[in-house]
Amino acid sequence: IPARTGASHCPEMAARGPGRLLLLLGLAAALCPPRAAQPPPGAFQAGHGAASLPAAAAAGRRRYLLYDVNPPEGFNLRRDVYIRVASLIKTLLKSEAWVLVLPPWGRLYHWQSPDIHQVRIPWSEFFDLPSLNQNIPVIEYEQFLAESGGPFIDQVYVLQSYAEGWKEGTWEEKIDERPCIDQLMYSKDKHEYYRGWFWGYEETRGLNVSCLSVQGSASIIAPVLLKNTSARSVMLDRAENLLHDHYGGRDYWNTRRSMVFAKHLRVVGDEFRRKYLHSTDEADRTDYNEDWTQMKVKLGTAVGGPYLGVHLRRKDFIWGHREDVPSLHGAVKKIRSLMEKHKLKRVFIATDAIVEETEELKKLLPEMVRFEPTWEELELYKDGGIAIIDQWICAHARYFTGTSVSTFSFRIHEEREILGFDPRTTYNRFCGEKERNCEQPTHWKIVY
């Protein structure tokens, strides 16, 4: 299967190379309690890989896989973790009947709008569940509560890196049950149940919690779930420690294409395009098929609306990635250059800039258009929905430029590729003002 040129296990590594791999594997472990009851001897061996799975067995009652990630991780990185876990589900389904329980959204760093309730948000607020189910079986957490008989998770595995780390040149995939490296983020109540964040569901309890040191792709944990535990419901905490099974291949793209935005958000974005940017699917050659399995386009067929799409990341990137982020004046200079080059009179900007910076942008760039929701719209769509609307509008632009190493920009890259845009109009980024060699992102190839 042809894969994207230069791609690695995850978008962060594709953008930054081996250094990103070191960073990913060095992620701090999640917090963990004293070890739960031990499995029977011989049930699980150190370094056991997914390739040693037994032949498909009788399914019986279906089992539930839940997961969560490190709390500071943002919306778009979490979307990437979903792709990794979906690959694990596909591996499990070869042997048993499993269903993925979608972790409710809420309490993310970038969701800072005041007076908006943003906890226990179901996936259906942001994504089309029937589309997800065409790829793997998924259910919302509320359905899990109804089916499983109560707010209990039988087994929680907290994933962590290896305390001893690994040496460059000796990479191997392995997984072992180990003592927890850090202090527990779960605490026992008077009934000996484990209490934790559990996506804001305070009534949820874990029956057993233990730690797994893991180094490898998502499916490396399949033997643990199939042979090391008989728990009907299993949660993987800190699931971002798992890498992609087949990054950039057919399996990756099937899952990514199944992540169709909720229709009500796409409708809002489409109406904004039509009203303020003179952009429609017919004119832009971006006709959208509601069934993602039937949507197969050739790169370069989409033209896009008569506007420049821009994602300008600010806030924490100003100090966290200062070498990759231009000043406001530098960004405006680049935007004007692109508008002149591509003969565009409008620019749509998605940005997390503070109010003072957006006001400055308006003065420097009167042609700028932004989606600025009313309070009622914000309450209805929430910060996550507004971000999706921004991405959807950027995805339909004639030309797009984003911010280096930002997963927000990366998701727009993927969306544009799904829509059929020429990679040359998609894989572009702002450069830091001190960069001498401003290398642009790798051009990728979608695989059907």
Side-chain angles (χ1 to χ4, degrees), residues 333-345:
K333 182 180 178 180
K334 178 63 174 179
I335 289 170
R336 287 205 176 280
S337 172
L338 289 173
M339 292 175 69
E340 291 176 7
K341 179 179 179 180
H342 298 283
K343 298 179 174 57
L344 300 171
K345 297 181 179 180

Side-chain angles (χ1 to χ4, degrees), residues 164-207:
E164 65 272 23
W166 66 287
K167 295 181 179 180
E168 190 172 358
T170 59
W171 169 261
E172 62 175 330
E173 292 205 338
K174 56 183 179 178
I175 183 168
D176 297 277
E177 189 167 5
R178 289 283 187 91
C180 302
I181 298 174
D182 292 317
Q183 187 181 355
L184 177 63
M185 285 184 71
Y186 297 91
S187 60
K188 278 189 175 181
D189 62 17
K190 62 182 180 180
H191 302 293
E192 296 295 303
Y193 296 142
Y194 288 97
R195 302 182 64 177
W197 161 238
F198 292 123
W199 316 283
Y201 283 79
E202 296 179 358
E203 66 275 20
T204 296
R205 300 288 187 270
L207 303 186

Side-chain angles (χ1 to χ4, degrees), residues 29-32 156-160 186 209-212 237-238:
L31 310 178
C32 183
V156 177
Y157 287 123
V158 183
L159 307 184
Q160 61 186 16
Y186 297 91
V209 181
S210 56
C211 282
L212 294 175
D237 200 355
R238 298 301 300 272

Side-chain angles (χ1 to χ4, degrees), residues 91-293:
T91 298
L92 295 172
L93 287 170
K94 296 175 183 177
S95 299
E96 294 180 350
W98 286 78
V99 61
L100 181 62
V101 181
L102 300 168
W105 299 94
R107 212 171 71 176
L108 303 187
Y109 168 75
H110 287 100
W111 295 0
Q112 299 178 358
S113 296
D115 305 320
I116 303 294
H117 182 73
Q118 303 198 77
V119 180
R120 300 189 180 193
I121 303 173
W123 276 59
S124 59
E125 291 285 321
F126 303 139
F127 299 96
D128 182 69
L129 258 61
S131 294
L132 295 178
N133 266 296
Q134 284 184 282
N135 182 55
I136 60 168
V138 301
I139 59 173
E140 299 276 23
Y141 187 70
E142 294 280 357
Q143 184 176 342
F144 163 73
L145 293 178
E147 287 188 11
S148 63
F152 297 98
I153 299 173
D154 298 332
Q155 174 68 55
V156 177
Y157 287 123
V158 183
L159 307 184
Q160 61 186 16
S161 57
Y162 280 83
E164 65 272 23
W166 66 287
K167 295 181 179 180
E168 190 172 358
T170 59
W171 169 261
E172 62 175 330
E173 292 205 338
K174 56 183 179 178
I175 183 168
D176 297 277
E177 189 167 5
R178 289 283 187 91
C180 302
I181 298 174
D182 292 317
Q183 187 181 355
L184 177 63
M185 285 184 71
Y186 297 91
S187 60
K188 278 189 175 181
D189 62 17
K190 62 182 180 180
H191 302 293
E192 296 295 303
Y193 296 142
Y194 288 97
R195 302 182 64 177
W197 161 238
F198 292 123
W199 316 283
Y201 283 79
E202 296 179 358
E203 66 275 20
T204 296
R205 300 288 187 270
L207 303 186
N208 296 286
V209 181
S210 56
C211 282
L212 294 175
S213 287
V214 60
Q215 180 175 292
S217 54
S219 289
I220 195 175
I221 205 169
V224 180
L225 304 181
L226 293 170
K227 302 197 299 183
N228 196 41
T229 177
S230 59
R232 189 181 181 202
S233 55
V234 181
M235 173 182 168
L236 303 179
D237 200 355
R238 298 301 300 272
E240 77 279 0
N241 281 290
L242 299 172
L243 304 180
H244 285 283
D245 280 343
H246 307 289
Y247 184 68
R250 181 176 288 118
D251 179 66
Y252 175 96
W253 275 107
N254 281 343
T255 299
R256 177 59 183 86
R257 290 164 61 221
S258 74
M259 299 181 75
V260 175
F261 291 141
K263 188 170 184 177
H264 66 278
L265 299 177
R266 288 186 280 120
V267 167
V268 172
D270 289 341
E271 176 60 19
F272 184 91
R273 287 166 50 213
R274 183 194 65 79
K275 187 173 182 180
Y276 298 103
L277 296 167
H278 308 293
S279 169
T280 64
D281 284 341
E282 293 76 16
D284 302 349
R285 294 170 62 182
T286 53
D287 290 332
Y288 196 77
N289 194 322
E290 293 293 329
D291 183 353
W292 64 268
T293 65

Side-chain angles (χ1 to χ4, degrees), residues 304-433:
Y307 62 97
L308 174 68
V310 167
H311 172 227
L312 182 61
R313 181 73 177 270
R314 303 294 292 169
K315 286 191 176 176
D316 57 325
F317 264 46
I318 297 176
W319 54 265
H321 297 275
R322 64 183 64 186
E323 73 278 8
D324 300 310
V325 179
S327 66
L328 285 185
H329 285 269
V332 170
K333 182 180 178 180
K334 178 63 174 179
I335 289 170
R336 287 205 176 280
S337 172
L338 289 173
M339 292 175 69
E340 291 176 7
K341 179 179 179 180
H342 298 283
K343 298 179 174 57
L344 300 171
K345 297 181 179 180
R346 288 284 184 271
V347 53
F348 176 83
I349 297 183
T351 182
D352 63 345
I354 60 176
V355 174
E356 291 79 7
E357 288 187 326
T358 56
E359 292 300 321
E360 181 70 11
L361 278 174
K362 289 178 181 178
K363 293 178 182 178
L364 296 171
L365 203 63
E367 304 92 336
M368 179 179 75
V369 177
R370 295 183 64 226
F371 181 77
E372 299 179 284
T374 64
W375 189 89
E376 290 77 14
E377 288 174 324
L378 184 57
E379 185 180 36
L380 179 62
Y381 306 133
K382 303 183 172 47
D383 284 329
I386 301 304
I388 286 174
I389 292 169
D390 273 349
Q391 289 179 322
W392 188 246
I393 297 171
C394 282
H396 286 77
R398 185 75 47 85
Y399 190 95
F400 172 76
T401 192
T403 300
S404 178
V405 306
S406 167
T407 52
F408 189 102
S409 288
F410 193 87
R411 300 280 88 84
I412 295 172
H413 293 164
E414 292 176 328
E415 210 66 49
R416 288 176 63 83
E417 195 152 346
I418 291 170
L419 289 170
F421 280 92
D422 188 319
R424 291 172 295 183
T425 71
T426 293
Y427 293 97
N428 310 286
R429 70 175 179 91
F430 286 106
C431 300
E433 294 179 8

